[in-house]
Amino acid sequence: MSKQEIGRVILGKYQIESVLMESDEAIFYKGKQLTLEKFVLMKAFRSSNIDVITREVRNLARLNHPNILSLIDYGIDADGKAFIIFEMPEGENLKNLISRGETLSLLRVNELIQQIASAIITAHANGIVHGQLNPQYIYIAKSADNKEFVKVFGFESAGRITTIEEAAYTAPERFIDSDIKDARSDIYSLGIIAYELLTGRVPFVGDSIEEIRSKHMQSPPPPISSYRSDVSDELEAIIFRALAKSVDNRFQTMKGFAESFDFAVNLSKKHLDQSVQPVRASDSNPWKTAFIVFVGMVSLAAVFVYLTQVKQIDPPTSLPRDANSLPVQPINPATGSMEQTLSNMSGFENISNASSSINGKSESVRTSDPWSRGAFIPPPTGQYYDANVNPESPFMPADGNVYIIVPKNTNSNVKPTKTPSANVSNGQLPAVKPTPTPDVPKEVKSSAIPIPKASPKPSPAQSPEPQ
């Protein structure tokens, strides 16, 4: 029936030239304005309810947006059919662009989605829902500066789903109620278009409307990453949110979806402005490559020579002499002989301990009889004490010996005082009464008491009695 209208003149000035598309609500023709010889797009309503058509036309007349086809005329033909006349879009239909199988860059896809969404946002702001948004209702043309611009038409096209092509872009809720007009249904349809622009295919396909309907209602869309690797997880998540089965789980506004889509594309670091072209054989020059490699090797060699020769620093073999330093007696190497000598010493089995107080410090004074063993050579005269000042000190172990030599009294006028015997039983020394200081000649006071040097003599057979 639609093809029979080709060549017919309606409203006295528009001639039908070809059929563009059909829906349950209307038929779209390509026509010509005979007076101006200008192409136009004509929408012929199937319905004869003039009141409904008039109300729709008035709504469409309010839309003024660069991405929406402008309405230029409206009328009712002699046979009672209502027609709306739009400007004829230039360029090609988006369906034809997708069918060529071109891989579109993320930036190009984003640009198309932003323009389509901008047109839908304006319609929603005026209370108009597209209802059947798909690539057939979108045209892409070139501007004077060779930029792509989009034109959208077919608003207020809600009706029964009659073809598989329509079913592929229809929101789940419209399969339940085809007359529903919900702005979130347009968000779902634009999500399908975005998916197809990125992958070259719609997410839900089937051999019948019922099969496609079942997938829209129950099946999740296949991952976009299985078709191309430059789509980020964020962008895929945004598209899948637009394709939520429940309207409450989708973006609630077209503006929210468009802004999120744009943000995800710009955030991605993987997108390319255009497809990567393979390098042709004629573009490669082996001599140029060899020269670059040679220059790189020379540069590395120069850096190596600089670091190893020019920047080399010889470490000093001797340290500078300090003029104010003092000579230090060198330490003999450790041979172990001293330790061996000490370990062989004997004669210290019989040791008596006593406590005394020297300069207010508690000391342990020990006397022993080492002469009989030949372990120590005593001075020629006088007494000695083996004093271990701090038995608990790790620097002076209890088995060490520190000998205190008491010089012999050379003054005949002074008699030695008998040293009281130590009380070994209770470990305490009896109190010692102070001895009066004898009169010492002036000669002795003015000079130090000479201490005879010990001369090596053979050890006596027995220890002498203390004087």
Side-chain angles (χ1 to χ4, degrees), residues 243-393:
L243 299 181
K245 308 302 181 184
S246 172
V247 293
D248 295 329
N249 294 333
R250 298 177 201 154
F251 290 95
Q252 298 302 294
T253 64
M254 183 64 75
K255 182 179 180 181
F257 169 66
E259 290 178 349
S260 299
F261 192 95
D262 180 67
F263 177 80
V265 170
N266 291 306
L267 182 66
S268 175
K269 297 180 180 180
K270 301 178 181 178
H271 70 270
L272 300 174
D273 194 9
Q274 57 184 2
S275 301
V276 179
Q277 300 294 332
V279 179
R280 295 175 298 177
S282 58
D283 294 338
S284 60
N285 189 336
W287 292 105
K288 182 179 179 179
T289 304
F291 176 76
I292 294 175
V293 173
F294 174 75
V295 171
M297 294 177 63
V298 171
S299 300
L300 291 175
V303 172
F304 178 78
V305 171
Y306 175 78
L307 294 176
T308 57
Q309 300 297 328
V310 178
K311 295 291 290 185
Q312 182 178 4
I313 300 176
D314 295 332
T317 56
S318 61
L319 298 175
R321 183 175 180 180
D322 188 359
N324 299 323
S325 63
L326 297 176
V328 178
Q329 180 67 28
I331 300 175
N332 293 330
T335 60
S337 59
M338 182 62 68
E339 289 81 356
Q340 185 65 32
T341 302
L342 293 175
S343 63
N344 294 331
M345 291 179 65
S346 59
F348 295 91
E349 294 84 356
N350 299 322
I351 298 176
S352 61
N353 296 329
S355 297
S356 66
S357 178
I358 300 177
N359 296 328
K361 296 181 180 180
S362 177
E363 298 175 348
S364 176
V365 181
R366 301 186 298 176
T367 60
S368 60
D369 185 17
W371 286 276
S372 60
R373 303 285 183 170
F376 174 73
I377 301 175
T381 59
Q383 291 179 318
Y384 80 94
Y385 292 97
D386 175 12
N388 188 2
V389 177
N390 187 3
E392 302 298 330
S393 172

Side-chain angles (χ1 to χ4, degrees), residues 85-154:
I85 311 300
F86 297 93
E87 63 174 326
M88 184 63 195
E90 299 178 357
E92 67 175 338
N93 190 275
L94 183 59
K95 180 180 178 181
N96 295 336
L97 174 63
I98 296 173
S99 64
R100 290 202 299 267
E102 297 180 8
T103 300
L104 306 180
S105 69
L106 292 181
L107 292 180
R108 188 180 181 188
V109 171
N110 184 45
E111 183 62 30
L112 295 176
I113 293 297
Q114 295 304 316
Q115 293 189 47
I116 298 170
S118 180
I120 303 299
I121 290 171
T122 300
H124 289 175
N126 287 273
I128 299 174
V129 175
H130 193 289
Q132 193 51 263
L133 184 63
N134 65 62
Q136 295 184 88
Y137 293 104
I138 302 169
Y139 272 79
I140 302 175
K142 293 283 187 179
S143 62
D145 55 357
N146 204 34
K147 291 184 178 180
E148 290 182 325
F149 66 91
V150 169
K151 290 290 185 178
V152 182
F153 65 98

Side-chain angles (χ1 to χ4, degrees), residues 355 420-423 428-433:
S355 297
S421 300
N423 188 357
Q428 299 292 331
L429 290 175
V432 180
K433 296 181 180 180

